[in-house]
Amino acid sequence: GNSVTQMEGPVTLSEEAFLTINCTYTATGYPSLFWYVQYPGEGLQLLLKATKADDKGSNKGFEATYRKETTSFHLEKGSVQVSDSAVYFCAIATGTASKLTFGTGTRLQVTL
Amino acid sequence: GAGVSQSPRYKVAKRGQDVALRCDPISGHVSLFWYQQALGQGPEFLTYFQNEAQLDKSGLPSDRFFAERPEGSVSTLKIQRTQQEDSAVYLCASSLIAGGWNTEAFFGQGTRLTVV
């Protein structure tokens, strides 16, 4: 079956620091890869996605590249802001499967 | 409304009680999903509807869990004889097209269920 391993948090960074949150996966079939974000008091929101190898998903300054050879989809941002403080979830879905498989989430806290 | 709406936002149930959780998806969305999120964990899939048809219920943890979407819009997740291990946030998501993951899924804020 599918599984996602995500770096544990919390991650605490100063504003303008570089962010990396690691995510690796195992999957049957050829997965689509996603990062979701959950801001305090809000529902999960899709941050970015990639559907084939070497694709780069990007949004709001965040990027992640689909690396099939290393089965990874690490999230990066060059300069974080206090408003990026949230919980980030890596997720995968395979084929026409209807269900997402999520990692355990990584809490990011950005301080001034 | 503009987004996926879930009610109630919070529910406290005594062990053994039955509960019903409601999800109003975005109007016109074909696909609807239920997930369970335990404290400190990622969401775990429970069940999936395409319109009124329940196409996948492989994630329902026991026969105490039942979901329906009779008219292809509003969905209800029912848990009978609640137990403490049912305490979690229950998330609903909807997406525009069948299959779901080639387009964006929109999540509600969830219902936090606490069984005491």
Side-chain angles (χ1 to χ4, degrees), chain B residues 11-61:
Chain B
K11 176 70 178 176
V12 178
K14 291 186 178 178
R15 191 159 55 94
Q17 277 186 332
D18 297 349
V19 298
L21 312 180
R22 178 187 169 102
C23 173
D24 280 272
I26 294 172
S27 178
H29 276 198
V30 169
S31 299
L32 186 145
F33 307 83
W34 284 98
Y35 287 83
Q36 180 190 60
Q37 186 176 15
L39 188 65
Q41 301 297 313
E44 293 195 359
F45 172 82
L46 293 177
T47 187
Y48 161 60
F49 290 86
Q50 182 178 318
N51 296 307
E52 69 278 4
Q54 189 175 19
L55 297 186
D56 188 341
K57 54 181 180 179
S58 61
L60 295 176

Side-chain angles (χ1 to χ4, degrees), chain A:
Chain A
N2 295 344
S3 68
V4 176
T5 301
Q6 193 176 336
M7 106 188 234
E8 289 191 17
V11 174
T12 303
L13 294 173
S14 298
E15 201 171 44
E16 299 184 1
F18 184 85
L19 168 72
T20 301
I21 300 177
N22 290 336
C23 172
T24 58
Y25 65 89
T26 59
T28 53
Y30 199 150
S32 295
L33 309 179
F34 307 83
W35 277 99
Y36 278 81
V37 59
Q38 188 169 35
Y39 298 103
E42 298 185 17
L44 280 168
Q45 302 173 24
L46 179 64
L47 180 61
L48 52 84
K49 69 178 182 181
T51 57
K52 60 183 189 295
D54 301 324
D55 268 2
K56 178 184 286 187
S58 61
N59 186 24
K60 300 182 180 180
F62 290 89
E63 294 182 339
T65 301
Y66 190 141
R67 299 291 187 200
K68 191 167 186 286
E69 64 278 10
T70 55
T71 62
S72 65
F73 193 53
H74 304 321
L75 182 68
E76 296 182 335
K77 187 173 185 182
S79 175
V80 293
Q81 306 300 310
V82 171
S83 57
D84 294 327
S85 298
V87 181
Y88 293 81
F89 293 91
C90 184
I92 68 173
T94 50
T96 57
S98 55
K99 51 198 170 197
L100 285 168
T101 300
F102 285 89
T104 55
T106 302
R107 181 175 298 278
L108 171 65
Q109 182 71 45
V110 181
T111 60
L112 290 171

Side-chain angles (χ1 to χ4, degrees), chain A residues 34 36 46 49, chain B residues 31 94-106:
Chain A
F34 307 83
Y36 278 81
L46 179 64
K49 69 178 182 181
Chain B
S31 299
S94 70
S95 65
L96 184 59
I97 65 172
W101 302 119
N102 288 325
T103 188
E104 182 172 353
F106 295 85

Side-chain angles (χ1 to χ4, degrees), chain B residues 19 21 36 46-47 54 57 59-68 76-83 85-88 90 113:
Chain B
V19 298
L21 312 180
Q36 180 190 60
L46 293 177
T47 187
Q54 189 175 19
K57 54 181 180 179
L60 295 176
S62 76
D63 59 8
R64 295 186 297 104
F65 287 71
F66 172 76
E68 60 184 4
T76 304
L77 177 67
K78 298 179 179 178
I79 309 173
Q80 296 177 322
R81 304 182 303 281
T82 52
Q83 300 177 4
E85 61 262 32
D86 300 335
S87 296
Y90 290 85
L113 172 66

